[in-house]
Amino acid sequence: MGQVRRNTIDTRDARLVGLIAAISAIAAGFSGVEPTGEPVADALLAGSVAALATWLGASAPWWALTFAAAVALGGSIGGPVLLTFVSAAAIGAACWIGYTKANQPALRAGVAGVAVQVLFQLSWDPRFLSSAGAALLAGGLVVVTGYRRRRGYVRKRIRWGALAVVVTMVAAVGALAAAAYEAARPAKDGYDTLLDALDHMDGGDVDQAAQALWQASLELATAHDELSAPLAQPARFVPVVAQNRSAAADAVGRAAEASAAAATALEAVDLDDLTISGGRIDLEALASLEEPLAALDIAVGDLSGALNDASESPWLVAPFQSRLDEGIERAGDTARQAETLALAAAVGPDMLGADEPRNYFVAFVNAAESRGQSGLMGNWIVISIDDGAIEITDSGRTADLQTEALDDLVLDISDEYLERYGQFGAATPSGGVDRKYWSTVNVSPDMPSVGDVMEQMYEAVSGDDIDGVFIIDARGLAHLLAITGSIGLDELDLRLGPESLEQFLVIDQYQIEEAEREVVLETVIALTMNNVLSGELPEPQEMIASLAPGAQNGHISAWSTHPAEQALLEQVGMDGSLPVPTIGGVDSLAVTSNNMAGNKIDSFLERTIEYRPRVDQATGRVDSTVTVTLTNTAPRSGLPDYVIGAIAEIPKGTNRTLVELFTPLDLIDATVGGGATAPQVGSELAHNVYSQQIDIAAGDTVVLEYELSGGIGRGEYRLAYRPQPLPRPDRLIIDATTTAGDLLFDYDGTIERRSVISSDGVEAWR
């Protein structure tokens, strides 16, 4: 092995090198580099490392200095011009030293010092700690080669110094391990208790939730104290370990504070005072909830944010990070619930007539004769609410609204809407609205559009103003019945509960003669609504749990003329709108069936929707195949003509339906049963709409296939899916791949609420 060359450093040079090293240390201390994330420790460590590298650089070979300066130059490109300039100058100086074989220890130290300062500023991060790794490699080469060229006694002192540093750091890590051991039990217990508290909050058990939150806060605060104890403080000076200690302590500390704030807010919430009795809602009790629920919203939001911030820290060790996942999801759900409750308390009194009476049009529809927004309207009522007192002020059948007042009505709605739905009666050639448009007014799958038009039509017919529209189908009515109790139809010697009501409304009622059936249907609605308006209803949290599935799955949809109240409907997921993606990478899909035969056969319709997008996420281009399989399980006989007959001359049991595909993509090709077809093309709310009327004979299956292509913008691919609330939920199959054939995500199952499907799973559309 060859002898290592020594660079002679005399007394004068040594003093100059020391001065340069000191200047390098001071500059590094103010560089902003964060090896530990602790300001004082960072300044001391950065200064020490810079001084050592600069000092040893005085004896480093020219090629090591050149390499370090070159790495610094490469990392500085695109940054401040000064860094690029001094890096280039350092390369020139190092190369001059090598070319002339000059000793120049002060110049070598200067080159090393410049390289170190620039390396501290690197921001090249294709992967976590990439910049740190590059700086460590370049700077380490200077340190190692400079160390090897120093005299033996100097190297010995460096070794002893390094050993002392290592021993000190090991001791600091050991002390932190002891502190972490003490913190582990209260941290785990606090985390588990926090999950219990979130469960109680989701279930509406306010008292138990508050107690659990206080307990979680105490346990998490104990864990924070252990991680912040004097025993753990030396670890602040150990890179990487310091960040993990700080991240863990910050996570449990913020969670403790947020849990205490949430507990304080919950203790001021008294849902027991919020009652609905005898057709009256206690508005004073509702108004008193606004302030504590707003505080709860902030506190739970802070809790969710604390857990999210902790999870996003790249310094957390894997076991701690993985345990946060469930808490993050649960806290996120609870935060949305708290936000909804706060919004409800804020706008609820106005919706319930606190300042002025409110009137709401309620349409009862039957999805056995399908429409894009549920089904055919048969009956309707108007509910008036004045200072919390609720009463039915008007009611009737659809035919009662088909008056000459519509002949002169010009809908105040978009040209796109009129162009698309004029064919159904939204606009007639002679002007006005077709009187029978009431039967198809909810063909659109977008509840805000439907509600707006229904409001205008009802006000034209009645002369009365309304503040919003509700659409409730048979399953939605069953959800209402679940909170009021069963009803009895004495004339039929029949008692209907939540389980039997839907079957009666979509099938069994048609065994009754039409004149009697209309009376029975009015009786069912009247009895259900009277139970709601005059009975003693369950606690609000129990009612919410019963009604939520119906509202979120499109069986109870609503629209308000008041923006703040519409925002609440959107928050709770009962606005029934067609999802319109507004950011890149989000695709959209909806398939609707609209009954065109005037029968009640759609309770026998089974649909399978397959969507296979091939995605270029770099460009946002999507090429996809949509396959819609429709199976008509209706019999050819054995049921009344009202169910399996038709207004058109088609065989009994035939399902004649208008299938409409909503997508942002362009149609390339379409087939029905394997044969080419040309769907009608339209547009609605940033979607292309492809419409095709088909007949499905009893017992038959028809397959529609669409080839689509277009751009949705760059970003992570996600699909916003809007299901149609039909008696039989769809089977949805998704197979999303890249253009190279790599799987992004897949799904096979039933989704009954508007959702976003992605590699993260299925989440509610909001």
Side-chain angles (χ1 to χ4, degrees):
M1 183 174 178
Q3 184 178 4
V4 176
R5 178 184 172 184
R6 309 291 181 204
N7 286 82
T8 303
I9 304 178
D10 59 25
T11 302
R12 178 180 174 279
D13 287 334
R15 291 172 180 168
L16 191 53
V17 167
L19 177 60
I20 295 171
I23 294 172
S24 181
I26 294 171
F30 289 97
S31 67
V33 67
E34 298 179 344
T36 68
E38 301 283 346
V40 175
D42 289 340
L44 291 174
L45 283 174
S48 299
V49 169
L52 179 63
T54 302
W55 182 69
L56 287 174
S59 55
W62 72 271
W63 54 266
L65 295 170
T66 301
F67 177 77
V71 172
L73 176 62
S76 69
I77 294 175
V81 175
L82 179 61
L83 295 183
T84 303
F85 175 77
V86 296
S87 298
I91 292 176
C95 291
W96 178 82
I97 292 171
Y99 179 75
T100 61
K101 295 183 172 52
N103 191 19
Q104 295 293 331
L107 183 57
R108 292 174 191 260
V111 171
V114 167
V116 167
Q117 301 307 318
V118 178
L119 289 171
F120 277 168
Q121 303 298 323
L122 288 187
S123 58
W124 175 68
D125 279 310
R127 293 180 181 275
F128 182 50
L129 294 180
S130 296
S131 293
L136 186 62
L137 174 63
L141 183 63
V142 172
V143 169
V144 171
T145 56
Y147 162 81
R148 293 189 64 208
R149 299 177 73 167
R150 290 298 176 102
R151 296 185 179 277
Y153 74 90
V154 176
R155 296 200 303 273
K156 184 177 181 180
R157 291 174 182 174
I158 293 173
R159 288 196 299 271
W160 278 108
L163 179 61
V165 170
V166 170
V167 169
T168 301
M169 286 189 171
V170 169
V173 172
L176 178 61
Y181 177 79
E182 293 297 322
R185 184 197 57 77
K188 179 182 182 302
D189 291 348
Y191 174 82
D192 292 340
T193 306
L194 178 58
L195 293 184
D196 291 340
L198 295 176
D199 284 340
H200 290 311
M201 289 179 68
D202 290 342
D205 192 339
V206 174
D207 293 337
Q208 290 294 323
Q211 293 178 22
L213 283 168
W214 277 123
Q215 184 63 32
S217 176
L218 291 173
E219 291 165 339
L220 292 170
T222 299
H224 176 267
D225 291 343
E226 293 291 349
L227 291 172
S228 303
L231 187 65
Q233 296 308 306
R236 290 174 177 266
F237 291 86
V238 183
V240 179
V241 174
Q243 283 92 339
N244 275 277
R245 187 214 67 82
S246 178
D250 183 61
V252 295
R254 286 186 60 190
E257 292 176 359
S259 296
T264 301
L266 269 182
E267 287 180 339
V269 175
D270 190 355
L271 293 180
D272 293 336
D273 289 342
L274 188 59
T275 59
I276 306 175
S277 178
R280 176 175 287 277
I281 298 174
D282 189 342
L283 292 188
E284 185 176 342
L286 179 58
S288 70
L289 292 175
E290 181 177 355
E291 185 174 340
L293 286 177
L296 178 65
D297 179 24
I298 294 172
V300 177
D302 287 345
L303 174 59
S304 179
L307 296 178
N308 270 299
D309 291 346
S311 178
E312 291 172 0
S313 170
W315 295 106
L316 282 181
V317 293
F320 190 86
Q321 199 164 31
S322 62
R323 284 188 62 82
L324 287 172
D325 291 342
E326 182 180 0
I328 289 169
E329 181 178 355
R330 300 267 287 281
D333 291 340
T334 306
R336 286 188 288 271
Q337 182 184 24
E339 182 182 0
T340 301
L341 289 172
L343 184 58
V347 306
D350 288 338
M351 293 185 73
L352 299 171
D355 293 329
E356 58 181 359
R358 291 294 178 87
N359 301 302
Y360 300 99
F361 182 86
V362 183
F364 296 95
V365 302
N366 192 341
E369 184 173 342
S370 63
R371 298 289 185 267
Q373 190 65 39
S374 197
L376 174 72
M377 182 176 74
N379 290 63
W380 56 271
I381 62 174
V382 173
I383 292 177
S384 296
I385 310 179
D386 187 3
D387 197 26
I390 311 171
E391 63 176 334
I392 297 174
T393 55
D394 200 1
S395 64
R397 298 279 297 171
T398 299
D400 299 331
L401 300 175
Q402 296 174 345
T403 72
E404 66 277 3
L406 297 175
D407 297 344
D408 298 322
L409 174 63
V410 177
L411 293 173
D412 182 13
I413 199 77
S414 69
D415 291 340
E416 179 184 69
Y417 181 94
L418 293 174
E419 181 178 350
R420 183 154 154 63
Y421 295 108
Q423 61 182 315
F424 296 100
T428 64
S430 58
V433 176
D434 191 307
R435 299 180 190 181
K436 292 187 177 180
Y437 189 50
W438 278 110
S439 297
T440 50
V441 66
N442 55 334
V443 169
S444 169
D446 184 62
M447 178 63 190
S449 299
V450 172
D452 189 359
V453 171
M454 292 177 79
E455 176 224 5
Q456 294 182 56
M457 291 173 65
Y458 179 77
E459 289 181 350
V461 169
S462 67
D464 298 326
D465 292 337
I466 58 173
D467 297 280
V469 174
F470 287 78
I471 294 180
I472 304 176
D473 67 11
R475 191 170 301 174
L477 206 57
H479 283 289
L480 281 174
L481 208 62
I483 65 172
T484 64
S486 60
I487 56 174
L489 301 178
D490 295 338
E491 61 271 30
L492 299 178
D493 193 23
L494 180 65
R495 191 152 198 89
L496 297 174
E499 299 80 13
S500 57
L501 179 64
E502 184 176 6
Q503 170 69 19
F504 175 80
L505 291 177
V506 300
I507 295 292
D508 296 346
Q509 66 158 312
Y510 299 109
Q511 303 287 351
I512 307 170
E513 291 296 327
E514 183 172 357
E516 185 181 357
R517 183 173 67 248
E518 292 182 2
V519 174
V520 168
L521 188 56
E522 290 175 358
T523 302
V524 168
I525 293 172
L527 289 174
T528 302
M529 298 310 298
N530 283 336
N531 282 355
V532 172
L533 300 182
S534 60
E536 293 288 338
L537 297 181
E539 293 181 350
Q541 52 266 46
E542 185 178 337
M543 289 178 56
I544 291 172
S546 296
L547 293 176
Q552 294 170 344
N553 296 343
H555 302 292
I556 304 175
S557 299
W559 170 80
S560 174
T561 63
H562 305 275
E565 294 157 24
Q566 179 64 18
L568 174 61
L569 298 175
E570 293 171 0
Q571 180 72 18
V572 300
M574 64 184 296
D575 60 299
S577 61
L578 179 67
V580 179
T582 57
I583 60 175
V586 183
D587 195 2
S588 181
L589 177 69
V591 179
T592 62
S593 299
N594 289 280
N595 186 294
M596 303 298 285
N599 53 21
K600 302 297 180 288
I601 204 170
D602 291 315
S603 57
F604 297 100
L605 179 63
E606 294 180 351
R607 308 195 320 173
T608 297
I609 299 170
E610 300 176 57
Y611 192 57
R612 305 185 187 279
R614 300 169 297 283
V615 185
D616 185 339
Q617 294 188 103
T619 64
R621 183 176 180 80
V622 177
D623 298 301
S624 66
T625 301
V626 183
T627 304
V628 180
T629 303
L630 305 175
T631 300
N632 179 14
T633 65
R636 289 182 171 84
S637 61
L639 288 174
D641 287 350
Y642 207 82
V643 177
I644 60 173
I647 56 176
E649 294 185 3
I650 54 178
K652 284 187 178 181
T654 298
N655 188 315
R656 173 167 287 179
T657 184
L658 177 68
V659 180
E660 297 198 305
L661 173 69
F662 292 76
T663 173
L665 307 180
D666 297 322
L667 181 67
I668 304 302
D669 191 23
T671 62
V672 174
T677 187
Q680 181 181 350
V681 180
S683 63
E684 183 170 358
L685 297 174
H687 289 78
N688 295 318
V689 187
Y690 306 111
S691 307
Q692 182 79 42
Q693 180 174 294
I694 61 170
D695 288 352
I696 315 169
D700 278 0
T701 295
V702 173
V703 178
L704 298 86
E705 189 165 283
Y706 306 85
E707 293 292 334
L708 306 171
S709 183
I712 59 171
R714 290 182 294 179
E716 178 191 359
Y717 180 76
R718 291 175 288 170
L719 175 67
Y721 176 67
R722 192 273 192 194
Q724 184 177 6
L726 293 170
R728 299 191 184 193
D730 298 332
R731 177 187 177 190
L732 178 65
I733 300 171
I734 302 174
D735 184 21
T737 62
T738 66
T739 51
D742 298 325
L743 180 67
L744 292 172
F745 59 85
D746 56 10
Y747 181 86
D748 187 344
T750 296
I751 296 178
E752 293 191 69
R753 64 186 300 184
R754 292 170 305 165
S755 302
V756 177
I757 307 104
S758 69
S759 57
D760 294 329
V762 179
E763 300 178 348
W765 166 268
R766 295 185 183 278

